[in-house]
Amino acid sequence: RVTVVESGGGLVQPGGSLSLSCVVSGFKFDDASMAWIRQAPGKEREVVSCISYYGTSTFYTNSVRGRFTITRDNAENTVYLQMNSLQPEDTAMYYCAAAFGRLCDLDDLKPYNYWGQGTQVTVSS
């Protein structure tokens, strides 16, 4: 049985930081590209960041590049998203998703076949 569990969301003031974690089980972790995908109210889901199987390649959507950092620990089956300089427009539900046997894709959600339930990030003063 596959499980994908996110943690670390919450309320933060503009300019603040949060760190998200995602622990997975039920499939071979290092055979999956891992992504963080967010959905703001009234908007479509967007791939924020993605990391390759062994972490050698990382990808970011333009709006978060330089502020967010994605990493993974294959020994712990965990992927992280460090978010700095958060802005109100970063407010969204953040989902961890796995593209098993697939490469990262920032433009298409179809490769991501395992998803978590999401963790809410709210940036507000």
Side-chain angles (χ1 to χ4, degrees):
R1 175 172 163 261
V2 173
T3 63
V4 179
V5 180
E6 306 97 334
S7 62
L11 173 64
V12 64
Q13 292 187 342
S17 298
L18 279 176
S19 181
L20 305 183
S21 300
C22 170
V23 181
V24 308
S25 64
F27 62 89
K28 194 170 184 293
F29 186 65
D30 55 10
D31 278 350
S33 300
M34 296 298 301
W36 289 95
I37 297 168
R38 69 184 179 188
Q39 186 169 25
K43 294 189 176 181
E44 294 185 350
R45 290 184 179 184
E46 67 166 341
V47 182
V48 173
S49 182
C50 187
I51 188 166
S52 60
Y53 292 8
Y54 294 100
T56 51
S57 297
T58 57
F59 306 88
Y60 300 93
T61 193
N62 287 341
S63 62
V64 308
R65 188 175 293 113
R67 299 189 297 123
F68 290 11
T69 302
I70 189 170
T71 56
R72 66 189 293 164
D73 183 343
N74 286 0
E76 299 293 331
N77 283 12
T78 303
V79 61
Y80 305 95
L81 186 68
Q82 177 64 40
M83 304 184 294
N84 298 329
S85 302
L86 283 160
Q87 300 301 317
E89 52 266 34
D90 295 315
T91 295
M93 184 70 78
Y94 283 72
Y95 298 91
C96 175
F100 184 71
R102 303 288 297 272
L103 299 178
C104 282
D105 193 327
L106 290 183
D107 299 318
D108 189 358
L109 297 179
K110 288 193 288 292
Y112 301 99
N113 37 14
Y114 301 126
W115 292 69
Q117 294 299 305
T119 185
Q120 178 68 38
V121 171
T122 302
V123 185
S124 174
S125 55

mmCIF file of all heavy atoms in Angstrom, residues 67-113:
data_model
loop_
_atom_site.group_PDB
_atom_site.id
_atom_site.type_symbol
_atom_site.label_atom_id
_atom_site.label_comp_id
_atom_site.label_asym_id
_atom_site.label_seq_id
_atom_site.Cartn_x
_atom_site.Cartn_y
_atom_site.Cartn_z
ATOM 1 N N ARG A 67 13.950 31.269 -3.849
ATOM 2 C CA ARG A 67 13.343 31.367 -2.512
ATOM 3 C C ARG A 67 13.083 29.986 -1.910
ATOM 4 O O ARG A 67 13.149 29.826 -0.688
ATOM 5 C CB ARG A 67 12.009 32.131 -2.590
ATOM 6 C CG ARG A 67 12.139 33.553 -3.090
ATOM 7 C CD ARG A 67 10.822 34.309 -2.930
ATOM 8 N NE ARG A 67 9.743 33.735 -3.739
ATOM 9 C CZ ARG A 67 8.600 33.315 -3.223
ATOM 10 N NH1 ARG A 67 8.365 33.372 -1.924
ATOM 11 N NH2 ARG A 67 7.648 32.830 -4.026
ATOM 12 N N PHE A 68 12.758 29.011 -2.751
ATOM 13 C CA PHE A 68 12.435 27.655 -2.294
ATOM 14 C C PHE A 68 13.584 26.724 -2.658
ATOM 15 O O PHE A 68 14.223 26.890 -3.707
ATOM 16 C CB PHE A 68 11.157 27.141 -2.958
ATOM 17 C CG PHE A 68 9.879 27.810 -2.529
ATOM 18 C CD1 PHE A 68 9.868 28.972 -1.760
ATOM 19 C CD2 PHE A 68 8.659 27.265 -2.900
ATOM 20 C CE1 PHE A 68 8.682 29.580 -1.374
ATOM 21 C CE2 PHE A 68 7.464 27.851 -2.525
ATOM 22 C CZ PHE A 68 7.485 29.007 -1.773
ATOM 23 N N THR A 69 13.797 25.698 -1.815
ATOM 24 C CA THR A 69 14.812 24.680 -2.082
ATOM 25 C C THR A 69 14.220 23.308 -1.817
ATOM 26 O O THR A 69 13.709 23.057 -0.720
ATOM 27 C CB THR A 69 16.049 24.892 -1.200
ATOM 28 O OG1 THR A 69 16.579 26.202 -1.426
ATOM 29 C CG2 THR A 69 17.117 23.858 -1.533
ATOM 30 N N ILE A 70 14.308 22.450 -2.818
ATOM 31 C CA ILE A 70 13.825 21.075 -2.672
ATOM 32 C C ILE A 70 15.021 20.150 -2.480
ATOM 33 O O ILE A 70 16.054 20.296 -3.144
ATOM 34 C CB ILE A 70 12.973 20.649 -3.900
ATOM 35 C CG1 ILE A 70 12.295 19.302 -3.648
ATOM 36 C CG2 ILE A 70 13.819 20.625 -5.172
ATOM 37 C CD1 ILE A 70 11.257 18.942 -4.711
ATOM 38 N N THR A 71 14.886 19.222 -1.549
ATOM 39 C CA THR A 71 15.923 18.216 -1.306
ATOM 40 C C THR A 71 15.234 16.883 -1.002
ATOM 41 O O THR A 71 14.033 16.841 -0.754
ATOM 42 C CB THR A 71 16.822 18.606 -0.115
ATOM 43 O OG1 THR A 71 16.003 18.812 1.051
ATOM 44 C CG2 THR A 71 17.618 19.866 -0.401
ATOM 45 N N ARG A 72 16.019 15.821 -1.015
ATOM 46 C CA ARG A 72 15.476 14.509 -0.679
ATOM 47 C C ARG A 72 16.524 13.696 0.060
ATOM 48 O O ARG A 72 17.735 13.881 -0.148
ATOM 49 C CB ARG A 72 14.988 13.773 -1.924
ATOM 50 C CG ARG A 72 16.044 13.383 -2.908
ATOM 51 C CD ARG A 72 15.436 12.844 -4.218
ATOM 52 N NE ARG A 72 14.749 11.578 -4.020
ATOM 53 C CZ ARG A 72 13.879 11.062 -4.902
ATOM 54 N NH1 ARG A 72 13.594 11.716 -6.012
ATOM 55 N NH2 ARG A 72 13.313 9.897 -4.675
ATOM 56 N N ASP A 73 16.035 12.770 0.877
ATOM 57 C CA ASP A 73 16.886 11.832 1.606
ATOM 58 C C ASP A 73 16.364 10.440 1.268
ATOM 59 O O ASP A 73 15.352 9.998 1.819
ATOM 60 C CB ASP A 73 16.819 12.116 3.107
ATOM 61 C CG ASP A 73 17.737 11.220 3.912
ATOM 62 O OD1 ASP A 73 18.179 10.173 3.383
ATOM 63 O OD2 ASP A 73 18.004 11.546 5.069
ATOM 64 N N ASN A 74 17.041 9.764 0.362
ATOM 65 C CA ASN A 74 16.542 8.461 -0.087
ATOM 66 C C ASN A 74 16.641 7.398 1.000
ATOM 67 O O ASN A 74 15.897 6.416 0.979
ATOM 68 C CB ASN A 74 17.281 8.026 -1.354
ATOM 69 C CG ASN A 74 16.825 8.801 -2.573
ATOM 70 O OD1 ASN A 74 15.957 9.670 -2.507
ATOM 71 N ND2 ASN A 74 17.441 8.494 -3.710
ATOM 72 N N ALA A 75 17.546 7.573 1.938
ATOM 73 C CA ALA A 75 17.651 6.612 3.043
ATOM 74 C C ALA A 75 16.441 6.698 3.967
ATOM 75 O O ALA A 75 16.102 5.718 4.634
ATOM 76 C CB ALA A 75 18.930 6.862 3.832
ATOM 77 N N GLU A 76 15.805 7.890 3.993
ATOM 78 C CA GLU A 76 14.655 8.109 4.867
ATOM 79 C C GLU A 76 13.339 8.188 4.105
ATOM 80 O O GLU A 76 12.295 8.473 4.699
ATOM 81 C CB GLU A 76 14.859 9.393 5.678
ATOM 82 C CG GLU A 76 16.067 9.369 6.583
ATOM 83 C CD GLU A 76 15.925 8.363 7.715
ATOM 84 O OE1 GLU A 76 14.775 8.099 8.141
ATOM 85 O OE2 GLU A 76 16.962 7.833 8.172
ATOM 86 N N ASN A 77 13.394 7.955 2.788
ATOM 87 C CA ASN A 77 12.183 8.045 1.952
ATOM 88 C C ASN A 77 11.447 9.368 2.156
ATOM 89 O O ASN A 77 10.207 9.405 2.252
ATOM 90 C CB ASN A 77 11.227 6.880 2.242
ATOM 91 C CG ASN A 77 11.679 5.579 1.610
ATOM 92 O OD1 ASN A 77 12.810 5.467 1.144
ATOM 93 N ND2 ASN A 77 10.819 4.597 1.604
ATOM 94 N N THR A 78 12.219 10.436 2.212
ATOM 95 C CA THR A 78 11.649 11.732 2.555
ATOM 96 C C THR A 78 12.095 12.800 1.564
ATOM 97 O O THR A 78 13.259 12.818 1.134
ATOM 98 C CB THR A 78 12.068 12.146 3.977
ATOM 99 O OG1 THR A 78 11.653 11.137 4.900
ATOM 100 C CG2 THR A 78 11.432 13.469 4.379
ATOM 101 N N VAL A 79 11.179 13.691 1.235
ATOM 102 C CA VAL A 79 11.493 14.850 0.410
ATOM 103 C C VAL A 79 11.079 16.101 1.199
ATOM 104 O O VAL A 79 10.107 16.079 1.952
ATOM 105 C CB VAL A 79 10.788 14.790 -0.965
ATOM 106 C CG1 VAL A 79 9.282 14.760 -0.825
ATOM 107 C CG2 VAL A 79 11.233 15.929 -1.863
ATOM 108 N N TYR A 80 11.874 17.155 1.028
ATOM 109 C CA TYR A 80 11.681 18.379 1.784
ATOM 110 C C TYR A 80 11.491 19.565 0.845
ATOM 111 O O TYR A 80 11.964 19.561 -0.295
ATOM 112 C CB TYR A 80 12.898 18.659 2.664
ATOM 113 C CG TYR A 80 13.275 17.540 3.590
ATOM 114 C CD1 TYR A 80 14.244 16.613 3.217
ATOM 115 C CD2 TYR A 80 12.687 17.419 4.842
ATOM 116 C CE1 TYR A 80 14.602 15.580 4.063
ATOM 117 C CE2 TYR A 80 13.045 16.385 5.700
ATOM 118 C CZ TYR A 80 13.998 15.474 5.297
ATOM 119 O OH TYR A 80 14.355 14.455 6.145
ATOM 120 N N LEU A 81 10.832 20.594 1.361
ATOM 121 C CA LEU A 81 10.756 21.870 0.657
ATOM 122 C C LEU A 81 10.991 22.982 1.671
ATOM 123 O O LEU A 81 10.158 23.206 2.551
ATOM 124 C CB LEU A 81 9.416 22.073 -0.029
ATOM 125 C CG LEU A 81 9.324 23.325 -0.919
ATOM 126 C CD1 LEU A 81 10.231 23.175 -2.137
ATOM 127 C CD2 LEU A 81 7.885 23.599 -1.350
ATOM 128 N N GLN A 82 12.137 23.631 1.558
ATOM 129 C CA GLN A 82 12.439 24.783 2.395
ATOM 130 C C GLN A 82 11.945 26.029 1.674
ATOM 131 O O GLN A 82 12.360 26.300 0.542
ATOM 132 C CB GLN A 82 13.942 24.880 2.656
ATOM 133 C CG GLN A 82 14.359 26.096 3.462
ATOM 134 C CD GLN A 82 13.801 26.090 4.871
ATOM 135 O OE1 GLN A 82 13.762 25.049 5.527
ATOM 136 N NE2 GLN A 82 13.348 27.244 5.350
ATOM 137 N N MET A 83 11.072 26.778 2.333
ATOM 138 C CA MET A 83 10.468 27.956 1.709
ATOM 139 C C MET A 83 10.864 29.196 2.499
ATOM 140 O O MET A 83 10.534 29.324 3.679
ATOM 141 C CB MET A 83 8.944 27.809 1.695
ATOM 142 C CG MET A 83 8.457 26.552 1.003
ATOM 143 S SD MET A 83 6.667 26.439 0.899
ATOM 144 C CE MET A 83 6.252 26.276 2.628
ATOM 145 N N ASN A 84 11.576 30.085 1.843
ATOM 146 C CA ASN A 84 12.019 31.328 2.456
ATOM 147 C C ASN A 84 11.371 32.525 1.759
ATOM 148 O O ASN A 84 10.851 32.405 0.649
ATOM 149 C CB ASN A 84 13.545 31.445 2.369
ATOM 150 C CG ASN A 84 14.268 30.347 3.106
ATOM 151 O OD1 ASN A 84 13.778 29.833 4.118
ATOM 152 N ND2 ASN A 84 15.428 29.967 2.605
ATOM 153 N N SER A 85 11.423 33.665 2.419
ATOM 154 C CA SER A 85 10.865 34.913 1.866
ATOM 155 C C SER A 85 9.444 34.699 1.354
ATOM 156 O O SER A 85 9.091 35.117 0.244
ATOM 157 C CB SER A 85 11.760 35.432 0.741
ATOM 158 O OG SER A 85 13.074 35.661 1.195
ATOM 159 N N LEU A 86 8.639 34.073 2.168
ATOM 160 C CA LEU A 86 7.275 33.751 1.754
ATOM 161 C C LEU A 86 6.441 35.004 1.574
ATOM 162 O O LEU A 86 6.588 35.993 2.318
ATOM 163 C CB LEU A 86 6.626 32.817 2.783
ATOM 164 C CG LEU A 86 7.092 31.359 2.681
ATOM 165 C CD1 LEU A 86 6.812 30.608 3.979
ATOM 166 C CD2 LEU A 86 6.439 30.678 1.507
ATOM 167 N N GLN A 87 5.566 34.951 0.577
ATOM 168 C CA GLN A 87 4.691 36.069 0.242
ATOM 169 C C GLN A 87 3.242 35.605 0.269
ATOM 170 O O GLN A 87 2.966 34.405 0.144
ATOM 171 C CB GLN A 87 5.055 36.604 -1.139
ATOM 172 C CG GLN A 87 6.486 37.097 -1.243
ATOM 173 C CD GLN A 87 6.791 38.210 -0.245
ATOM 174 O OE1 GLN A 87 5.992 39.126 -0.045
ATOM 175 N NE2 GLN A 87 7.952 38.123 0.389
ATOM 176 N N PRO A 88 2.309 36.526 0.408
ATOM 177 C CA PRO A 88 0.886 36.115 0.432
ATOM 178 C C PRO A 88 0.476 35.278 -0.770
ATOM 179 O O PRO A 88 -0.379 34.387 -0.641
ATOM 180 C CB PRO A 88 0.151 37.458 0.479
ATOM 181 C CG PRO A 88 1.101 38.371 1.192
ATOM 182 C CD PRO A 88 2.465 37.954 0.724
ATOM 183 N N GLU A 89 1.087 35.516 -1.914
ATOM 184 C CA GLU A 89 0.738 34.734 -3.106
ATOM 185 C C GLU A 89 1.218 33.290 -3.045
ATOM 186 O O GLU A 89 0.874 32.486 -3.912
ATOM 187 C CB GLU A 89 1.262 35.412 -4.378
ATOM 188 C CG GLU A 89 2.723 35.767 -4.340
ATOM 189 C CD GLU A 89 2.980 37.196 -3.878
ATOM 190 O OE1 GLU A 89 2.215 37.712 -3.013
ATOM 191 O OE2 GLU A 89 3.951 37.804 -4.372
ATOM 192 N N ASP A 90 2.018 32.957 -2.028
ATOM 193 C CA ASP A 90 2.431 31.567 -1.823
ATOM 194 C C ASP A 90 1.381 30.784 -1.036
ATOM 195 O O ASP A 90 1.515 29.566 -0.872
ATOM 196 C CB ASP A 90 3.765 31.509 -1.077
ATOM 197 C CG ASP A 90 4.914 32.093 -1.872
ATOM 198 O OD1 ASP A 90 5.023 31.774 -3.074
ATOM 199 O OD2 ASP A 90 5.695 32.878 -1.295
ATOM 200 N N THR A 91 0.352 31.456 -0.552
ATOM 201 C CA THR A 91 -0.706 30.793 0.192
ATOM 202 C C THR A 91 -1.408 29.766 -0.693
ATOM 203 O O THR A 91 -1.872 30.083 -1.792
ATOM 204 C CB THR A 91 -1.729 31.825 0.700
ATOM 205 O OG1 THR A 91 -1.095 32.682 1.650
ATOM 206 C CG2 THR A 91 -2.921 31.138 1.352
ATOM 207 N N ALA A 92 -1.441 28.525 -0.217
ATOM 208 C CA ALA A 92 -2.019 27.435 -1.008
ATOM 209 C C ALA A 92 -1.997 26.156 -0.193
ATOM 210 O O ALA A 92 -1.334 26.079 0.842
ATOM 211 C CB ALA A 92 -1.227 27.222 -2.304
ATOM 212 N N MET A 93 -2.689 25.157 -0.710
ATOM 213 C CA MET A 93 -2.511 23.797 -0.216
ATOM 214 C C MET A 93 -1.326 23.219 -0.985
ATOM 215 O O MET A 93 -1.297 23.279 -2.224
ATOM 216 C CB MET A 93 -3.757 22.961 -0.465
ATOM 217 C CG MET A 93 -3.687 21.563 0.102
ATOM 218 S SD MET A 93 -3.740 21.552 1.899
ATOM 219 C CE MET A 93 -5.496 21.807 2.160
ATOM 220 N N TYR A 94 -0.368 22.681 -0.255
ATOM 221 C CA TYR A 94 0.830 22.108 -0.871
ATOM 222 C C TYR A 94 0.748 20.584 -0.799
ATOM 223 O O TYR A 94 0.579 20.012 0.282
ATOM 224 C CB TYR A 94 2.085 22.611 -0.151
ATOM 225 C CG TYR A 94 2.450 24.020 -0.547
ATOM 226 C CD1 TYR A 94 1.685 25.105 -0.127
ATOM 227 C CD2 TYR A 94 3.560 24.279 -1.346
ATOM 228 C CE1 TYR A 94 1.996 26.399 -0.514
ATOM 229 C CE2 TYR A 94 3.896 25.569 -1.729
ATOM 230 C CZ TYR A 94 3.105 26.625 -1.310
ATOM 231 O OH TYR A 94 3.428 27.907 -1.696
ATOM 232 N N TYR A 95 0.893 19.963 -1.961
ATOM 233 C CA TYR A 95 0.826 18.509 -2.081
ATOM 234 C C TYR A 95 2.211 17.961 -2.448
ATOM 235 O O TYR A 95 2.910 18.538 -3.288
ATOM 236 C CB TYR A 95 -0.145 18.089 -3.173
ATOM 237 C CG TYR A 95 -1.569 18.516 -2.930
ATOM 238 C CD1 TYR A 95 -2.041 19.725 -3.411
ATOM 239 C CD2 TYR A 95 -2.450 17.702 -2.227
ATOM 240 C CE1 TYR A 95 -3.345 20.133 -3.193
ATOM 241 C CE2 TYR A 95 -3.763 18.089 -2.006
ATOM 242 C CZ TYR A 95 -4.191 19.310 -2.491
ATOM 243 O OH TYR A 95 -5.494 19.704 -2.275
ATOM 244 N N CYS A 96 2.535 16.845 -1.856
ATOM 245 C CA CYS A 96 3.705 16.079 -2.256
ATOM 246 C C CYS A 96 3.232 15.014 -3.250
ATOM 247 O O CYS A 96 2.176 14.383 -3.033
ATOM 248 C CB CYS A 96 4.323 15.425 -1.025
ATOM 249 S SG CYS A 96 5.706 14.330 -1.344
ATOM 250 N N ALA A 97 3.975 14.848 -4.335
ATOM 251 C CA ALA A 97 3.549 13.890 -5.348
ATOM 252 C C ALA A 97 4.759 13.166 -5.932
ATOM 253 O O ALA A 97 5.838 13.749 -6.059
ATOM 254 C CB ALA A 97 2.782 14.597 -6.452
ATOM 255 N N ALA A 98 4.541 11.919 -6.295
ATOM 256 C CA ALA A 98 5.596 11.087 -6.860
ATOM 257 C C ALA A 98 5.281 10.735 -8.303
ATOM 258 O O ALA A 98 4.151 10.355 -8.619
ATOM 259 C CB ALA A 98 5.745 9.815 -6.042
ATOM 260 N N ALA A 99 6.298 10.848 -9.142
ATOM 261 C CA ALA A 99 6.202 10.391 -10.532
ATOM 262 C C ALA A 99 7.050 9.132 -10.614
ATOM 263 O O ALA A 99 8.256 9.198 -10.860
ATOM 264 C CB ALA A 99 6.687 11.473 -11.482
ATOM 265 N N PHE A 100 6.420 7.981 -10.371
ATOM 266 C CA PHE A 100 7.160 6.731 -10.303
ATOM 267 C C PHE A 100 7.592 6.317 -11.701
ATOM 268 O O PHE A 100 6.780 6.180 -12.609
ATOM 269 C CB PHE A 100 6.305 5.649 -9.654
ATOM 270 C CG PHE A 100 7.024 4.351 -9.458
ATOM 271 C CD1 PHE A 100 8.016 4.233 -8.505
ATOM 272 C CD2 PHE A 100 6.729 3.252 -10.248
ATOM 273 C CE1 PHE A 100 8.695 3.047 -8.325
ATOM 274 C CE2 PHE A 100 7.396 2.069 -10.085
ATOM 275 C CZ PHE A 100 8.382 1.956 -9.118
ATOM 276 N N GLY A 101 8.901 6.135 -11.858
ATOM 277 C CA GLY A 101 9.415 5.733 -13.157
ATOM 278 C C GLY A 101 9.375 6.825 -14.208
ATOM 279 O O GLY A 101 9.571 6.541 -15.394
ATOM 280 N N ARG A 102 9.153 8.052 -13.792
ATOM 281 C CA ARG A 102 9.046 9.166 -14.728
ATOM 282 C C ARG A 102 9.993 10.292 -14.329
ATOM 283 O O ARG A 102 10.400 10.407 -13.177
ATOM 284 C CB ARG A 102 7.601 9.702 -14.735
ATOM 285 C CG ARG A 102 6.537 8.689 -15.073
ATOM 286 C CD ARG A 102 6.560 8.302 -16.530
ATOM 287 N NE ARG A 102 6.284 9.402 -17.428
ATOM 288 C CZ ARG A 102 5.062 9.744 -17.816
ATOM 289 N NH1 ARG A 102 4.012 9.086 -17.381
ATOM 290 N NH2 ARG A 102 4.908 10.752 -18.649
ATOM 291 N N LEU A 103 10.292 11.138 -15.320
ATOM 292 C CA LEU A 103 11.124 12.301 -15.057
ATOM 293 C C LEU A 103 10.271 13.448 -14.531
ATOM 294 O O LEU A 103 9.048 13.450 -14.687
ATOM 295 C CB LEU A 103 11.833 12.731 -16.342
ATOM 296 C CG LEU A 103 12.774 11.682 -16.970
ATOM 297 C CD1 LEU A 103 13.367 12.235 -18.269
ATOM 298 C CD2 LEU A 103 13.867 11.286 -16.003
ATOM 299 N N CYS A 104 10.950 14.436 -13.951
ATOM 300 C CA CYS A 104 10.258 15.646 -13.505
ATOM 301 C C CYS A 104 9.584 16.344 -14.684
ATOM 302 O O CYS A 104 10.127 16.380 -15.789
ATOM 303 C CB CYS A 104 11.239 16.618 -12.870
ATOM 304 S SG CYS A 104 11.725 16.207 -11.190
ATOM 305 N N ASP A 105 8.429 16.928 -14.388
ATOM 306 C CA ASP A 105 7.725 17.715 -15.405
ATOM 307 C C ASP A 105 7.034 18.869 -14.680
ATOM 308 O O ASP A 105 6.176 18.635 -13.822
ATOM 309 C CB ASP A 105 6.704 16.852 -16.138
ATOM 310 C CG ASP A 105 6.180 17.515 -17.409
ATOM 311 O OD1 ASP A 105 6.081 18.767 -17.415
ATOM 312 O OD2 ASP A 105 5.864 16.814 -18.363
ATOM 313 N N LEU A 106 7.421 20.095 -15.005
ATOM 314 C CA LEU A 106 6.821 21.259 -14.354
ATOM 315 C C LEU A 106 5.520 21.691 -15.028
ATOM 316 O O LEU A 106 4.796 22.528 -14.492
ATOM 317 C CB LEU A 106 7.791 22.438 -14.349
ATOM 318 C CG LEU A 106 9.016 22.345 -13.459
ATOM 319 C CD1 LEU A 106 9.829 23.633 -13.535
ATOM 320 C CD2 LEU A 106 8.646 22.054 -12.015
ATOM 321 N N ASP A 107 5.238 21.149 -16.206
ATOM 322 C CA ASP A 107 4.108 21.640 -16.997
ATOM 323 C C ASP A 107 2.945 20.671 -17.078
ATOM 324 O O ASP A 107 1.896 21.024 -17.639
ATOM 325 C CB ASP A 107 4.585 21.964 -18.420
ATOM 326 C CG ASP A 107 5.650 23.044 -18.429
ATOM 327 O OD1 ASP A 107 5.499 24.025 -17.672
ATOM 328 O OD2 ASP A 107 6.646 22.906 -19.166
ATOM 329 N N ASP A 108 3.091 19.475 -16.542
ATOM 330 C CA ASP A 108 2.056 18.461 -16.724
ATOM 331 C C ASP A 108 1.899 17.679 -15.426
ATOM 332 O O ASP A 108 2.892 17.205 -14.864
ATOM 333 C CB ASP A 108 2.453 17.525 -17.858
ATOM 334 C CG ASP A 108 1.345 16.568 -18.251
ATOM 335 O OD1 ASP A 108 0.268 16.582 -17.625
ATOM 336 O OD2 ASP A 108 1.558 15.787 -19.201
ATOM 337 N N LEU A 109 0.670 17.548 -14.951
ATOM 338 C CA LEU A 109 0.412 16.810 -13.724
ATOM 339 C C LEU A 109 0.273 15.312 -13.961
ATOM 340 O O LEU A 109 0.324 14.527 -13.004
ATOM 341 C CB LEU A 109 -0.869 17.331 -13.059
ATOM 342 C CG LEU A 109 -0.861 18.790 -12.591
ATOM 343 C CD1 LEU A 109 -2.209 19.146 -11.986
ATOM 344 C CD2 LEU A 109 0.242 19.019 -11.571
ATOM 345 N N LYS A 110 0.111 14.894 -15.199
ATOM 346 C CA LYS A 110 -0.170 13.479 -15.472
ATOM 347 C C LYS A 110 0.916 12.514 -15.020
ATOM 348 O O LYS A 110 0.607 11.397 -14.621
ATOM 349 C CB LYS A 110 -0.485 13.283 -16.948
ATOM 350 C CG LYS A 110 -1.858 13.849 -17.349
ATOM 351 C CD LYS A 110 -2.285 13.373 -18.727
ATOM 352 C CE LYS A 110 -1.473 14.022 -19.800
ATOM 353 N NZ LYS A 110 -1.752 15.470 -19.895
ATOM 354 N N PRO A 111 2.210 12.901 -15.038
ATOM 355 C CA PRO A 111 3.222 11.927 -14.588
ATOM 356 C C PRO A 111 3.137 11.573 -13.097
ATOM 357 O O PRO A 111 3.660 10.550 -12.681
ATOM 358 C CB PRO A 111 4.546 12.626 -14.881
ATOM 359 C CG PRO A 111 4.236 13.575 -15.980
ATOM 360 C CD PRO A 111 2.838 14.042 -15.696
ATOM 361 N N TYR A 112 2.453 12.400 -12.321
ATOM 362 C CA TYR A 112 2.467 12.235 -10.863
ATOM 363 C C TYR A 112 1.337 11.296 -10.455
ATOM 364 O O TYR A 112 0.155 11.660 -10.454
ATOM 365 C CB TYR A 112 2.374 13.605 -10.178
ATOM 366 C CG TYR A 112 3.518 14.493 -10.601
ATOM 367 C CD1 TYR A 112 3.356 15.446 -11.593
ATOM 368 C CD2 TYR A 112 4.794 14.313 -10.053
ATOM 369 C CE1 TYR A 112 4.433 16.220 -12.027
ATOM 370 C CE2 TYR A 112 5.863 15.078 -10.464
ATOM 371 C CZ TYR A 112 5.677 16.028 -11.461
ATOM 372 O OH TYR A 112 6.747 16.779 -11.884
ATOM 373 N N ASN A 113 1.745 10.075 -10.114
ATOM 374 C CA ASN A 113 0.730 9.055 -9.900
ATOM 375 C C ASN A 113 0.443 8.737 -8.438
ATOM 376 O O ASN A 113 -0.500 8.003 -8.147
ATOM 377 C CB ASN A 113 1.087 7.767 -10.662
ATOM 378 C CG ASN A 113 2.575 7.479 -10.674
ATOM 379 O OD1 ASN A 113 3.354 8.057 -9.922
ATOM 380 N ND2 ASN A 113 2.983 6.573 -11.543
#
